[in-house]
Amino acid sequence: MAFILLCGLALLLVVGLLGQPYWLRYRRNRVRATAFPAAWRKILQRRVPLVRRLPAHLQMQLKKNMQVFIAEKSFLGCAGLRITEEMRVVIAAQACLLILNRATDYFANVRQVLVYPGAFFVNRTSMDGSGVQQENRQALAGESWSQGQVILSWQDTMEGAAVPDDGRNVVIHEFAHQLDQENGAARGAPPPTLGDTQYDARRWSQVFNAAYAHLQLEVHNGVQGLINHYGAQDPAEFFAVVSEVFFEQPRELAVEYPALYRELSAYYKVDPAGW
C-alpha cells in the first residue's frame, strides 16, 4: 500500500513538473490579453518619454511585456520607501525595452526589485598597491545580483527616464547585467536567445574587445568620448554601459562605433537609430 502511495505521489510530481511550462504560458497569455491600464498609459506619457520614440507595434509589445513583468516580479521598498504603481510602471517600462522582439522568459532569474529612495551605500573590500585590504563605503545608484535581485535608486531611476538621450539609464544598465548573468557570472558576453541565428560569438568577441580597448585608451589619455569611462572597469560594465548608449544615443553610437552598434542591434533585435 505504501509503495502504491509513493508511486502515486511520484506520478503527480512528474505530471506537475511537465505541466508547469504550460501553466506558465497560460498565465502569461491571460495577463497579456488584459487591457493595458489607462493609469499606466498616463504614467508612461508623463515619466518615460523614450517610449514615444518607439514604433506603434513596439509600443504595444512593450506594454504587454510590462504587464507580465509587473505581475511576476516582487517590488520591495527599502529605507522606508513605499512602493507605488508609478514606480512599478516606470521601472518595468525601461527594463522591458531590453526584451523587445526577443524570445524571452521575462528576466526569469529576477525575483525581486528592491528600490531605495536615492543612492544607497554598500561596503566594498579592495586591495591597495601594497597588498593591504581596505574597506570602502560606496554610494550606488543600482546593483544587479545573481541571486535574483536588482537594486535601484528611485531618484536615479526617475532621472534616467526623464532624460532619454544622455546615454545614462540605471534601469537599462542593471537589467543588461541580468541578461549577461543568465549563463553565469557577468562577463560582457550575454547568451543568445534560443534559436538565434544572427549571434556569432567569435564576431561578438572581436568587435566587443576592440571597442572596449578603445574606451580604455580614451581613459588612459584623459579623453571623454561618447561612452562613459565607468564602462572601462571590466567587460561586464562595458556591456551594461554601451547598452545604455545603444537605447538612448543610438545614432551617435552607430556613427562612432558602427560595428559595435550592429552587434548590439542583432543581439537586442531592435534598431533604435531608426526610431
Side-chain angles (χ1 to χ4, degrees), residues 79-145:
L81 184 68
R82 183 178 65 86
I83 295 296
T84 65
E85 185 175 55
E86 180 176 74
M87 293 175 186
R88 292 186 177 92
V89 171
V90 171
I91 292 169
Q94 295 171 90
C96 290
L97 284 170
L98 278 64
I99 55 175
L100 291 170
N101 286 343
R102 305 176 74 233
T104 180
D105 204 16
Y106 302 94
F107 302 100
N109 294 336
V110 177
R111 294 179 289 103
Q112 298 172 326
V113 180
L114 281 62
V115 188
Y116 282 84
F120 53 94
F121 293 89
V122 297
N123 294 320
R124 290 284 187 268
T125 301
S126 61
M127 198 83 70
D128 65 16
S130 60
V132 177
Q133 283 190 345
Q134 294 184 335
E135 289 288 335
N136 301 305
R137 189 167 172 80
Q138 298 179 352
L140 300 179
E143 198 164 41
S144 173
W145 293 356

Side-chain angles (χ1 to χ4, degrees), residues 109 144-147 176-191 208 234-237 239:
N109 294 336
S144 173
W145 293 356
S146 58
Q147 296 91 340
H177 279 317
Q178 282 293 324
L179 294 177
D180 198 6
Q181 291 167 334
E182 286 184 349
N183 61 347
R187 54 190 178 90
F208 184 90
D234 56 54
E237 292 300 343
F239 171 67

Side-chain angles (χ1 to χ4, degrees), residues 156-232:
D156 289 279
T157 295
M158 285 195 299
E159 291 174 356
V163 186
D165 57 0
D166 64 352
R168 300 197 179 195
N169 186 297
V170 66
V171 178
I172 291 176
H173 185 106
E174 301 306 336
F175 278 90
H177 279 317
Q178 282 293 324
L179 294 177
D180 198 6
Q181 291 167 334
E182 286 184 349
N183 61 347
R187 54 190 178 90
T193 54
L194 187 65
D196 188 347
T197 58
Q198 293 181 294
Y199 183 88
D200 184 307
R202 179 178 295 181
R203 187 185 64 221
W204 171 278
S205 179
Q206 291 173 343
V207 171
F208 184 90
N209 289 334
Y212 179 54
H214 184 266
L215 176 62
Q216 289 185 310
L217 183 62
E218 285 188 341
V219 173
H220 177 75
N221 292 331
V223 176
Q224 180 59 68
L226 177 65
I227 301 174
N228 192 295
H229 286 182
Y230 189 78

